[in-house]
Amino acid sequence: MKRYRIKLKFKSPIHIGQKDNVFNDISKIIHSETLFSAIVNSYSLLYGIDETSKFINEIIENSELFNISSAFFYFENKYFYPRPLGYNFGLDKKYDYKQIKKVEYVSEEFLYGEVKEPRIIGKFAVDGKCDELSKIFAVEERPRIVVDRLTNSTNIYYMSSIKFFENAGLWFYLDIEERFEKSILAAIRLLSDEGIGGERTYGYGLFDLKVEDVEFKTEDGENFLLLSNFYPKDAEELSRLITYKLYERSGFIYSPYGLVVRQPILKFVSEGSVLNEKVSGKILDVTPEFFNVHNVYRYGRAYLIPIKKEARD
């Protein structure tokens, strides 16, 4: 099993919707289930339905073959993680409660106890001076119109998107068995040209990628930080949650081989949740009864890294 950090430097705005038909409510990160679906669709374009089904069946049977985190922010050489729920990393010694409450992401140094000069800049906690961090991205809104087919009347609406500035983008972890390595990386490279997220017909979601070999630091942690969306496979896994938040996902099934179909609404445990033991989660089969082109899956595997219990307040 190899572990990579995949950096996405976007060449165009990106639109990751959160609610059906609400075009100005967007996600700032890319959830692991969205990444997984996008990669699998690209894999299918390259290798066909049969090979794709074979790949998915193998990783369902063996959770050690493939795992993926959600995509979070990076700026220059600093990589940000979701702030572990309930942790303040000693920031209360320098900042007030309202400032700490706004922090959603922490730089890598916080997780490994290597912080020398903690600073809060908006929703980010960072080690050292990094004033340009406030310029990591901007939210754009562009007006669109919809024309009524019967009356030719028009209505205006607004489409929101994220535009990243220079030296900023998103990154995610990919753990992959060596025999799948070339095919999965090829699928991600195809995805970089196809685009990820919505509004791809307008050129949204295009990116350049950089693949880096990485290794996690070896020290064990008493707790585990969740870096993906997670769907517990049983009550035992659910009981391992210490602090957590949930979010709801719906949307539509996109397939190059069939019609666009609405997905069922599911609730996932969100990134930044903290557990007291490793769990695996599950990949859900959500194929509608009338959809017979291929099976449809939602990714709910847990991507975890160890963190120290002492960091909690």
Side-chain angles (χ1 to χ4, degrees), residues 267-309:
K267 284 189 176 181
F268 290 95
V269 180
S270 184
E271 301 88 346
S273 299
V274 178
L275 301 90
N276 59 15
E277 192 172 300
K278 281 190 174 182
V279 295
S280 63
K282 67 186 295 186
I283 299 174
L284 299 96
D285 189 335
V286 296
T287 310
E289 291 183 6
F290 55 86
F291 193 87
N292 55 14
V293 179
H294 55 73
N295 287 0
V296 180
Y297 299 92
R298 300 290 292 274
Y299 194 80
R301 285 264 169 83
Y303 197 105
L304 301 166
I305 61 170
I307 55 175
K308 293 182 179 297
K309 185 182 293 184

mmCIF file of all heavy atoms in Angstrom, residues 267-309:
data_model
loop_
_atom_site.group_PDB
_atom_site.id
_atom_site.type_symbol
_atom_site.label_atom_id
_atom_site.label_comp_id
_atom_site.label_asym_id
_atom_site.label_seq_id
_atom_site.Cartn_x
_atom_site.Cartn_y
_atom_site.Cartn_z
ATOM 1 N N LYS A 267 -27.137 10.653 5.715
ATOM 2 C CA LYS A 267 -26.404 11.434 6.705
ATOM 3 C C LYS A 267 -25.056 10.787 6.972
ATOM 4 O O LYS A 267 -24.983 9.579 7.216
ATOM 5 C CB LYS A 267 -27.204 11.540 8.004
ATOM 6 C CG LYS A 267 -28.358 12.522 7.926
ATOM 7 C CD LYS A 267 -28.987 12.759 9.280
ATOM 8 C CE LYS A 267 -30.075 13.835 9.187
ATOM 9 N NZ LYS A 267 -30.709 14.111 10.497
ATOM 10 N N PHE A 268 -24.000 11.607 6.914
ATOM 11 C CA PHE A 268 -22.643 11.146 7.157
ATOM 12 C C PHE A 268 -22.077 11.836 8.400
ATOM 13 O O PHE A 268 -22.465 12.951 8.736
ATOM 14 C CB PHE A 268 -21.731 11.469 5.977
ATOM 15 C CG PHE A 268 -22.006 10.679 4.733
ATOM 16 C CD1 PHE A 268 -22.829 11.185 3.733
ATOM 17 C CD2 PHE A 268 -21.435 9.431 4.554
ATOM 18 C CE1 PHE A 268 -23.071 10.470 2.576
ATOM 19 C CE2 PHE A 268 -21.673 8.695 3.397
ATOM 20 C CZ PHE A 268 -22.497 9.219 2.412
ATOM 21 N N VAL A 269 -21.133 11.153 9.050
ATOM 22 C CA VAL A 269 -20.301 11.808 10.056
ATOM 23 C C VAL A 269 -19.282 12.656 9.303
ATOM 24 O O VAL A 269 -18.657 12.202 8.343
ATOM 25 C CB VAL A 269 -19.602 10.779 10.961
ATOM 26 C CG1 VAL A 269 -18.739 11.487 12.003
ATOM 27 C CG2 VAL A 269 -20.630 9.870 11.642
ATOM 28 N N SER A 270 -19.102 13.887 9.747
ATOM 29 C CA SER A 270 -18.325 14.857 8.987
ATOM 30 C C SER A 270 -16.849 14.872 9.378
ATOM 31 O O SER A 270 -16.455 14.428 10.460
ATOM 32 C CB SER A 270 -18.920 16.249 9.189
ATOM 33 O OG SER A 270 -18.245 17.208 8.395
ATOM 34 N N GLU A 271 -16.041 15.431 8.490
ATOM 35 C CA GLU A 271 -14.621 15.640 8.728
ATOM 36 C C GLU A 271 -14.418 16.489 9.977
ATOM 37 O O GLU A 271 -15.187 17.405 10.247
ATOM 38 C CB GLU A 271 -13.983 16.354 7.531
ATOM 39 C CG GLU A 271 -14.113 15.622 6.218
ATOM 40 C CD GLU A 271 -15.379 15.930 5.444
ATOM 41 O OE1 GLU A 271 -16.323 16.522 6.045
ATOM 42 O OE2 GLU A 271 -15.466 15.573 4.263
ATOM 43 N N GLY A 272 -13.341 16.194 10.722
ATOM 44 C CA GLY A 272 -13.064 16.899 11.962
ATOM 45 C C GLY A 272 -13.606 16.197 13.191
ATOM 46 O O GLY A 272 -13.285 16.591 14.318
ATOM 47 N N SER A 273 -14.423 15.162 13.000
ATOM 48 C CA SER A 273 -14.910 14.389 14.137
ATOM 49 C C SER A 273 -13.758 13.602 14.757
ATOM 50 O O SER A 273 -12.761 13.298 14.093
ATOM 51 C CB SER A 273 -16.021 13.439 13.686
ATOM 52 O OG SER A 273 -17.119 14.163 13.147
ATOM 53 N N VAL A 274 -13.885 13.271 16.037
ATOM 54 C CA VAL A 274 -12.819 12.585 16.774
ATOM 55 C C VAL A 274 -13.346 11.259 17.302
ATOM 56 O O VAL A 274 -14.453 11.183 17.844
ATOM 57 C CB VAL A 274 -12.308 13.468 17.933
ATOM 58 C CG1 VAL A 274 -11.228 12.743 18.732
ATOM 59 C CG2 VAL A 274 -11.777 14.794 17.401
ATOM 60 N N LEU A 275 -12.534 10.201 17.143
ATOM 61 C CA LEU A 275 -12.895 8.861 17.594
ATOM 62 C C LEU A 275 -11.836 8.339 18.550
ATOM 63 O O LEU A 275 -10.685 8.796 18.530
ATOM 64 C CB LEU A 275 -13.047 7.906 16.403
ATOM 65 C CG LEU A 275 -14.094 8.263 15.344
ATOM 66 C CD1 LEU A 275 -13.498 9.120 14.244
ATOM 67 C CD2 LEU A 275 -14.701 6.997 14.724
ATOM 68 N N ASN A 276 -12.211 7.348 19.362
ATOM 69 C CA ASN A 276 -11.256 6.782 20.311
ATOM 70 C C ASN A 276 -10.658 5.463 19.834
ATOM 71 O O ASN A 276 -9.881 4.829 20.550
ATOM 72 C CB ASN A 276 -11.893 6.603 21.689
ATOM 73 C CG ASN A 276 -13.114 5.692 21.659
ATOM 74 O OD1 ASN A 276 -13.340 4.964 20.688
ATOM 75 N ND2 ASN A 276 -13.913 5.733 22.711
ATOM 76 N N GLU A 277 -11.029 5.039 18.634
ATOM 77 C CA GLU A 277 -10.494 3.796 18.084
ATOM 78 C C GLU A 277 -10.669 3.815 16.576
ATOM 79 O O GLU A 277 -11.555 4.487 16.043
ATOM 80 C CB GLU A 277 -11.232 2.589 18.685
ATOM 81 C CG GLU A 277 -10.561 1.250 18.406
ATOM 82 C CD GLU A 277 -11.219 0.118 19.184
ATOM 83 O OE1 GLU A 277 -11.231 0.203 20.429
ATOM 84 O OE2 GLU A 277 -11.716 -0.830 18.550
ATOM 85 N N LYS A 278 -9.827 3.062 15.874
ATOM 86 C CA LYS A 278 -9.947 2.993 14.418
ATOM 87 C C LYS A 278 -11.232 2.285 14.005
ATOM 88 O O LYS A 278 -11.639 1.303 14.628
ATOM 89 C CB LYS A 278 -8.745 2.261 13.816
ATOM 90 C CG LYS A 278 -7.489 3.110 13.712
ATOM 91 C CD LYS A 278 -6.427 2.412 12.888
ATOM 92 C CE LYS A 278 -5.228 3.303 12.652
ATOM 93 N NZ LYS A 278 -4.202 2.644 11.814
ATOM 94 N N VAL A 279 -11.850 2.787 12.946
ATOM 95 C CA VAL A 279 -13.037 2.177 12.352
ATOM 96 C C VAL A 279 -12.830 2.146 10.847
ATOM 97 O O VAL A 279 -11.934 2.801 10.319
ATOM 98 C CB VAL A 279 -14.315 2.965 12.704
ATOM 99 C CG1 VAL A 279 -14.606 2.920 14.196
ATOM 100 C CG2 VAL A 279 -14.209 4.412 12.227
ATOM 101 N N SER A 280 -13.664 1.394 10.137
ATOM 102 C CA SER A 280 -13.488 1.301 8.688
ATOM 103 C C SER A 280 -14.594 2.002 7.904
ATOM 104 O O SER A 280 -14.346 2.547 6.835
ATOM 105 C CB SER A 280 -13.408 -0.173 8.253
ATOM 106 O OG SER A 280 -14.621 -0.840 8.537
ATOM 107 N N GLY A 281 -15.837 2.027 8.427
ATOM 108 C CA GLY A 281 -16.930 2.578 7.654
ATOM 109 C C GLY A 281 -17.335 1.635 6.536
ATOM 110 O O GLY A 281 -16.921 0.469 6.489
ATOM 111 N N LYS A 282 -18.126 2.126 5.603
ATOM 112 C CA LYS A 282 -18.602 1.247 4.529
ATOM 113 C C LYS A 282 -18.850 2.030 3.248
ATOM 114 O O LYS A 282 -19.028 3.245 3.263
ATOM 115 C CB LYS A 282 -19.874 0.533 4.973
ATOM 116 C CG LYS A 282 -21.075 1.431 5.169
ATOM 117 C CD LYS A 282 -22.266 0.676 5.754
ATOM 118 C CE LYS A 282 -22.799 -0.383 4.827
ATOM 119 N NZ LYS A 282 -24.032 -1.015 5.338
ATOM 120 N N ILE A 283 -18.842 1.285 2.154
ATOM 121 C CA ILE A 283 -19.247 1.809 0.851
ATOM 122 C C ILE A 283 -20.672 1.330 0.611
ATOM 123 O O ILE A 283 -20.938 0.130 0.615
ATOM 124 C CB ILE A 283 -18.313 1.325 -0.271
ATOM 125 C CG1 ILE A 283 -16.879 1.811 -0.009
ATOM 126 C CG2 ILE A 283 -18.794 1.824 -1.626
ATOM 127 C CD1 ILE A 283 -15.854 1.266 -0.988
ATOM 128 N N LEU A 284 -21.606 2.255 0.440
ATOM 129 C CA LEU A 284 -23.014 1.903 0.346
ATOM 130 C C LEU A 284 -23.446 1.702 -1.101
ATOM 131 O O LEU A 284 -23.077 2.486 -1.981
ATOM 132 C CB LEU A 284 -23.889 2.986 0.974
ATOM 133 C CG LEU A 284 -23.683 3.289 2.449
ATOM 134 C CD1 LEU A 284 -22.746 4.467 2.621
ATOM 135 C CD2 LEU A 284 -25.000 3.567 3.129
ATOM 136 N N ASP A 285 -24.233 0.678 -1.325
ATOM 137 C CA ASP A 285 -24.873 0.460 -2.619
ATOM 138 C C ASP A 285 -26.220 1.164 -2.595
ATOM 139 O O ASP A 285 -27.124 0.757 -1.855
ATOM 140 C CB ASP A 285 -25.046 -1.034 -2.884
ATOM 141 C CG ASP A 285 -25.517 -1.331 -4.309
ATOM 142 O OD1 ASP A 285 -26.156 -0.447 -4.927
ATOM 143 O OD2 ASP A 285 -25.268 -2.447 -4.803
ATOM 144 N N VAL A 286 -26.371 2.243 -3.361
ATOM 145 C CA VAL A 286 -27.612 3.026 -3.372
ATOM 146 C C VAL A 286 -28.282 2.978 -4.739
ATOM 147 O O VAL A 286 -28.985 3.914 -5.133
ATOM 148 C CB VAL A 286 -27.327 4.489 -2.956
ATOM 149 C CG1 VAL A 286 -26.833 4.559 -1.525
ATOM 150 C CG2 VAL A 286 -26.306 5.140 -3.899
ATOM 151 N N THR A 287 -28.092 1.883 -5.458
ATOM 152 C CA THR A 287 -28.647 1.746 -6.804
ATOM 153 C C THR A 287 -30.171 1.771 -6.767
ATOM 154 O O THR A 287 -30.790 0.952 -6.081
ATOM 155 C CB THR A 287 -28.184 0.431 -7.444
ATOM 156 O OG1 THR A 287 -26.764 0.312 -7.318
ATOM 157 C CG2 THR A 287 -28.582 0.388 -8.912
ATOM 158 N N PRO A 288 -30.829 2.688 -7.483
ATOM 159 C CA PRO A 288 -32.295 2.675 -7.549
ATOM 160 C C PRO A 288 -32.801 1.415 -8.242
ATOM 161 O O PRO A 288 -32.101 0.822 -9.081
ATOM 162 C CB PRO A 288 -32.624 3.920 -8.388
ATOM 163 C CG PRO A 288 -31.399 4.771 -8.331
ATOM 164 C CD PRO A 288 -30.247 3.827 -8.209
ATOM 165 N N GLU A 289 -33.992 1.000 -7.901
ATOM 166 C CA GLU A 289 -34.547 -0.235 -8.460
ATOM 167 C C GLU A 289 -34.661 -0.181 -9.975
ATOM 168 O O GLU A 289 -34.475 -1.186 -10.656
ATOM 169 C CB GLU A 289 -35.923 -0.505 -7.847
ATOM 170 C CG GLU A 289 -35.883 -0.873 -6.365
ATOM 171 C CD GLU A 289 -37.255 -1.197 -5.821
ATOM 172 O OE1 GLU A 289 -38.216 -1.238 -6.626
ATOM 173 O OE2 GLU A 289 -37.385 -1.403 -4.597
ATOM 174 N N PHE A 290 -34.975 0.979 -10.522
ATOM 175 C CA PHE A 290 -35.196 1.100 -11.965
ATOM 176 C C PHE A 290 -33.919 1.426 -12.742
ATOM 177 O O PHE A 290 -33.942 1.526 -13.955
ATOM 178 C CB PHE A 290 -36.242 2.181 -12.241
ATOM 179 C CG PHE A 290 -35.900 3.508 -11.635
ATOM 180 C CD1 PHE A 290 -35.087 4.412 -12.315
ATOM 181 C CD2 PHE A 290 -36.364 3.848 -10.379
ATOM 182 C CE1 PHE A 290 -34.753 5.622 -11.748
ATOM 183 C CE2 PHE A 290 -36.037 5.071 -9.809
ATOM 184 C CZ PHE A 290 -35.233 5.964 -10.499
ATOM 185 N N PHE A 291 -32.793 1.606 -12.034
ATOM 186 C CA PHE A 291 -31.531 1.959 -12.684
ATOM 187 C C PHE A 291 -30.740 0.669 -12.897
ATOM 188 O O PHE A 291 -30.140 0.130 -11.978
ATOM 189 C CB PHE A 291 -30.743 2.930 -11.801
ATOM 190 C CG PHE A 291 -29.582 3.592 -12.503
ATOM 191 C CD1 PHE A 291 -29.755 4.763 -13.219
ATOM 192 C CD2 PHE A 291 -28.305 3.043 -12.448
ATOM 193 C CE1 PHE A 291 -28.679 5.387 -13.851
ATOM 194 C CE2 PHE A 291 -27.239 3.635 -13.077
ATOM 195 C CZ PHE A 291 -27.424 4.810 -13.785
ATOM 196 N N ASN A 292 -30.722 0.171 -14.129
ATOM 197 C CA ASN A 292 -30.128 -1.145 -14.393
ATOM 198 C C ASN A 292 -28.875 -1.089 -15.265
ATOM 199 O O ASN A 292 -28.439 -2.102 -15.798
ATOM 200 C CB ASN A 292 -31.163 -2.069 -15.045
ATOM 201 C CG ASN A 292 -31.780 -1.467 -16.302
ATOM 202 O OD1 ASN A 292 -31.273 -0.480 -16.831
ATOM 203 N ND2 ASN A 292 -32.873 -2.062 -16.772
ATOM 204 N N VAL A 293 -28.284 0.116 -15.413
ATOM 205 C CA VAL A 293 -27.084 0.235 -16.242
ATOM 206 C C VAL A 293 -25.866 -0.302 -15.485
ATOM 207 O O VAL A 293 -25.060 -1.057 -16.023
ATOM 208 C CB VAL A 293 -26.859 1.707 -16.656
ATOM 209 C CG1 VAL A 293 -25.601 1.839 -17.504
ATOM 210 C CG2 VAL A 293 -28.058 2.248 -17.398
ATOM 211 N N HIS A 294 -25.741 0.077 -14.225
ATOM 212 C CA HIS A 294 -24.659 -0.390 -13.357
ATOM 213 C C HIS A 294 -25.047 -0.060 -11.929
ATOM 214 O O HIS A 294 -26.006 0.695 -11.677
ATOM 215 C CB HIS A 294 -23.320 0.263 -13.718
ATOM 216 C CG HIS A 294 -23.358 1.769 -13.715
ATOM 217 N ND1 HIS A 294 -23.413 2.516 -12.554
ATOM 218 C CD2 HIS A 294 -23.368 2.663 -14.740
ATOM 219 C CE1 HIS A 294 -23.446 3.801 -12.848
ATOM 220 N NE2 HIS A 294 -23.425 3.933 -14.176
ATOM 221 N N ASN A 295 -24.328 -0.594 -10.966
ATOM 222 C CA ASN A 295 -24.579 -0.269 -9.568
ATOM 223 C C ASN A 295 -24.083 1.145 -9.245
ATOM 224 O O ASN A 295 -23.140 1.645 -9.873
ATOM 225 C CB ASN A 295 -23.905 -1.272 -8.641
ATOM 226 C CG ASN A 295 -24.616 -2.617 -8.649
ATOM 227 O OD1 ASN A 295 -25.618 -2.797 -9.344
ATOM 228 N ND2 ASN A 295 -24.121 -3.549 -7.875
ATOM 229 N N VAL A 296 -24.706 1.753 -8.259
ATOM 230 C CA VAL A 296 -24.347 3.097 -7.826
ATOM 231 C C VAL A 296 -23.917 3.027 -6.364
ATOM 232 O O VAL A 296 -24.597 2.407 -5.543
ATOM 233 C CB VAL A 296 -25.533 4.073 -7.984
ATOM 234 C CG1 VAL A 296 -25.136 5.472 -7.518
ATOM 235 C CG2 VAL A 296 -25.999 4.109 -9.431
ATOM 236 N N TYR A 297 -22.784 3.676 -6.042
ATOM 237 C CA TYR A 297 -22.212 3.571 -4.695
ATOM 238 C C TYR A 297 -21.982 4.957 -4.109
ATOM 239 O O TYR A 297 -21.714 5.921 -4.821
ATOM 240 C CB TYR A 297 -20.890 2.806 -4.726
ATOM 241 C CG TYR A 297 -21.011 1.389 -5.223
ATOM 242 C CD1 TYR A 297 -20.826 1.079 -6.575
ATOM 243 C CD2 TYR A 297 -21.328 0.349 -4.351
ATOM 244 C CE1 TYR A 297 -20.949 -0.217 -7.033
ATOM 245 C CE2 TYR A 297 -21.448 -0.953 -4.809
ATOM 246 C CZ TYR A 297 -21.264 -1.232 -6.146
ATOM 247 O OH TYR A 297 -21.395 -2.522 -6.609
ATOM 248 N N ARG A 298 -22.072 5.039 -2.771
ATOM 249 C CA ARG A 298 -21.681 6.238 -2.017
ATOM 250 C C ARG A 298 -20.561 5.835 -1.070
ATOM 251 O O ARG A 298 -20.647 4.828 -0.370
ATOM 252 C CB ARG A 298 -22.868 6.800 -1.218
ATOM 253 C CG ARG A 298 -24.056 7.200 -2.062
ATOM 254 C CD ARG A 298 -23.802 8.428 -2.893
ATOM 255 N NE ARG A 298 -23.669 9.630 -2.090
ATOM 256 C CZ ARG A 298 -24.703 10.373 -1.685
ATOM 257 N NH1 ARG A 298 -25.941 10.012 -1.976
ATOM 258 N NH2 ARG A 298 -24.500 11.471 -0.991
ATOM 259 N N TYR A 299 -19.523 6.650 -1.038
ATOM 260 C CA TYR A 299 -18.317 6.318 -0.286
ATOM 261 C C TYR A 299 -18.426 6.804 1.149
ATOM 262 O O TYR A 299 -18.552 8.009 1.398
ATOM 263 C CB TYR A 299 -17.099 6.936 -0.966
ATOM 264 C CG TYR A 299 -15.778 6.403 -0.477
ATOM 265 C CD1 TYR A 299 -15.299 5.183 -0.939
ATOM 266 C CD2 TYR A 299 -15.004 7.105 0.438
ATOM 267 C CE1 TYR A 299 -14.080 4.685 -0.509
ATOM 268 C CE2 TYR A 299 -13.786 6.613 0.874
ATOM 269 C CZ TYR A 299 -13.337 5.399 0.393
ATOM 270 O OH TYR A 299 -12.135 4.900 0.828
ATOM 271 N N GLY A 300 -18.367 5.884 2.101
ATOM 272 C CA GLY A 300 -18.461 6.228 3.508
ATOM 273 C C GLY A 300 -17.347 5.632 4.351
ATOM 274 O O GLY A 300 -17.505 5.456 5.561
ATOM 275 N N ARG A 301 -16.214 5.317 3.718
ATOM 276 C CA ARG A 301 -15.071 4.781 4.463
ATOM 277 C C ARG A 301 -14.398 5.879 5.277
ATOM 278 O O ARG A 301 -14.331 7.028 4.855
ATOM 279 C CB ARG A 301 -14.052 4.175 3.495
ATOM 280 C CG ARG A 301 -14.486 2.826 2.918
ATOM 281 C CD ARG A 301 -13.878 1.684 3.705
ATOM 282 N NE ARG A 301 -14.471 0.404 3.347
ATOM 283 C CZ ARG A 301 -14.099 -0.331 2.299
ATOM 284 N NH1 ARG A 301 -13.146 0.097 1.513
ATOM 285 N NH2 ARG A 301 -14.674 -1.493 2.080
ATOM 286 N N ALA A 302 -13.892 5.489 6.443
ATOM 287 C CA ALA A 302 -13.235 6.449 7.341
ATOM 288 C C ALA A 302 -11.749 6.547 7.012
ATOM 289 O O ALA A 302 -11.059 5.534 6.911
ATOM 290 C CB ALA A 302 -13.421 6.021 8.793
ATOM 291 N N TYR A 303 -11.274 7.778 6.842
ATOM 292 C CA TYR A 303 -9.844 8.022 6.696
ATOM 293 C C TYR A 303 -9.385 8.710 7.971
ATOM 294 O O TYR A 303 -9.788 9.847 8.264
ATOM 295 C CB TYR A 303 -9.552 8.899 5.481
ATOM 296 C CG TYR A 303 -8.104 8.844 5.046
ATOM 297 C CD1 TYR A 303 -7.729 8.132 3.920
ATOM 298 C CD2 TYR A 303 -7.106 9.489 5.777
ATOM 299 C CE1 TYR A 303 -6.399 8.065 3.525
ATOM 300 C CE2 TYR A 303 -5.784 9.431 5.400
ATOM 301 C CZ TYR A 303 -5.433 8.709 4.269
ATOM 302 O OH TYR A 303 -4.111 8.634 3.891
ATOM 303 N N LEU A 304 -8.551 8.027 8.753
ATOM 304 C CA LEU A 304 -8.194 8.473 10.097
ATOM 305 C C LEU A 304 -6.696 8.691 10.243
ATOM 306 O O LEU A 304 -5.895 7.959 9.652
ATOM 307 C CB LEU A 304 -8.642 7.436 11.132
ATOM 308 C CG LEU A 304 -10.134 7.111 11.172
ATOM 309 C CD1 LEU A 304 -10.387 5.850 11.993
ATOM 310 C CD2 LEU A 304 -10.930 8.283 11.750
ATOM 311 N N ILE A 305 -6.330 9.690 11.054
ATOM 312 C CA ILE A 305 -4.936 9.855 11.460
ATOM 313 C C ILE A 305 -4.910 9.973 12.989
ATOM 314 O O ILE A 305 -5.846 10.496 13.597
ATOM 315 C CB ILE A 305 -4.272 11.089 10.808
ATOM 316 C CG1 ILE A 305 -4.995 12.369 11.202
ATOM 317 C CG2 ILE A 305 -4.211 10.923 9.309
ATOM 318 C CD1 ILE A 305 -4.251 13.623 10.779
ATOM 319 N N PRO A 306 -3.859 9.466 13.629
ATOM 320 C CA PRO A 306 -3.786 9.538 15.094
ATOM 321 C C PRO A 306 -3.494 10.941 15.582
ATOM 322 O O PRO A 306 -2.709 11.681 14.975
ATOM 323 C CB PRO A 306 -2.642 8.580 15.427
ATOM 324 C CG PRO A 306 -1.791 8.563 14.199
ATOM 325 C CD PRO A 306 -2.711 8.748 13.051
ATOM 326 N N ILE A 307 -4.121 11.332 16.688
ATOM 327 C CA ILE A 307 -3.820 12.611 17.338
ATOM 328 C C ILE A 307 -3.753 12.354 18.851
ATOM 329 O O ILE A 307 -4.352 11.415 19.357
ATOM 330 C CB ILE A 307 -4.864 13.701 17.029
ATOM 331 C CG1 ILE A 307 -6.287 13.224 17.387
ATOM 332 C CG2 ILE A 307 -4.777 14.142 15.601
ATOM 333 C CD1 ILE A 307 -7.342 14.280 17.214
ATOM 334 N N LYS A 308 -3.022 13.212 19.523
ATOM 335 C CA LYS A 308 -2.814 13.021 20.966
ATOM 336 C C LYS A 308 -4.013 13.517 21.775
ATOM 337 O O LYS A 308 -4.581 14.576 21.485
ATOM 338 C CB LYS A 308 -1.548 13.750 21.416
ATOM 339 C CG LYS A 308 -0.266 13.156 20.850
ATOM 340 C CD LYS A 308 0.932 13.908 21.371
ATOM 341 C CE LYS A 308 2.236 13.306 20.843
ATOM 342 N NZ LYS A 308 2.434 11.932 21.306
ATOM 343 N N LYS A 309 -4.376 12.757 22.782
ATOM 344 C CA LYS A 309 -5.468 13.146 23.662
ATOM 345 C C LYS A 309 -5.119 14.409 24.444
ATOM 346 O O LYS A 309 -5.981 15.241 24.714
ATOM 347 C CB LYS A 309 -5.799 12.017 24.620
ATOM 348 C CG LYS A 309 -7.014 12.290 25.494
ATOM 349 C CD LYS A 309 -7.272 11.151 26.475
ATOM 350 C CE LYS A 309 -7.689 9.877 25.781
ATOM 351 N NZ LYS A 309 -8.032 8.803 26.756
#
